[in-house]
Amino acid sequence: MIDYRRHDDSTFSIETRKNRNVKSRIEWINMALDYCDDLTDYVNNDDTIVEKNKKLSVIKRNRKYLNLRKRFYETGNPLLIFQMAMYTDCYLQSRQLLGDIYKIYL
């Protein structure tokens, strides 16, 4: 592994700071939901894709996770945390669920 530093004025740091508010997270989730729609259309319409049902199932599961996450950001309903915990495999990192909770309540 290579060690690296994140400088406050780097492009990565600036983009990360911009995505730390609830509004930008909801916008990102909406973009990801649109991407799920595009992927579903692609898989359905491409006859060369194998195991279509399996791929569509994964997309559907991710769509459910994204909708739950969006509702959580919009409402702050703590009961959604338990439902979101069932989708930890859909998060890019396992600690993201904790980040969502932190963002809403702290």
Side-chain angles (χ1 to χ4, degrees):
M1 285 294 205
I2 298 174
D3 289 331
Y4 68 95
R5 284 189 204 171
R6 292 185 191 162
H7 299 280
D8 289 338
D9 60 345
S10 74
T11 303
F12 179 80
S13 294
I14 292 169
E15 288 298 316
T16 301
R17 278 194 303 273
K18 284 195 305 191
N19 289 326
R20 287 192 178 164
N21 65 47
V22 171
K23 181 183 174 194
S24 63
R25 298 252 175 132
I26 292 172
E27 288 173 0
W28 183 91
I29 291 169
N30 285 332
M31 181 190 66
L33 285 167
D34 288 343
Y35 185 69
C36 284
D37 291 340
D38 292 343
L39 271 175
T40 300
D41 290 343
Y42 176 76
V43 171
N44 279 326
N45 294 324
D46 189 339
D47 294 331
T48 62
I49 294 178
V50 295
E51 297 182 331
K52 280 188 180 199
N53 289 336
K54 184 176 180 181
K55 289 174 175 63
L56 290 170
S57 174
V58 170
I59 296 168
K60 184 178 179 181
R61 180 168 172 74
N62 276 280
R63 177 176 258 305
K64 285 181 182 180
Y65 142 76
L66 288 167
N67 280 312
L68 272 173
R69 195 172 179 204
K70 181 179 175 181
R71 275 193 4 236
F72 179 68
Y73 271 103
E74 291 172 342
T75 66
N77 183 346
L79 297 176
L80 293 173
I81 295 169
F82 299 107
Q83 293 177 21
M84 290 166 40
M86 295 179 355
Y87 292 90
T88 54
D89 60 315
C90 295
Y91 281 95
L92 295 175
Q93 298 176 341
S94 58
R95 66 178 186 244
Q96 252 181 319
L97 176 58
L98 296 175
D100 287 346
I101 295 166
Y102 177 83
K103 175 61 67 189
I104 295 299
Y105 297 118
L106 301 177

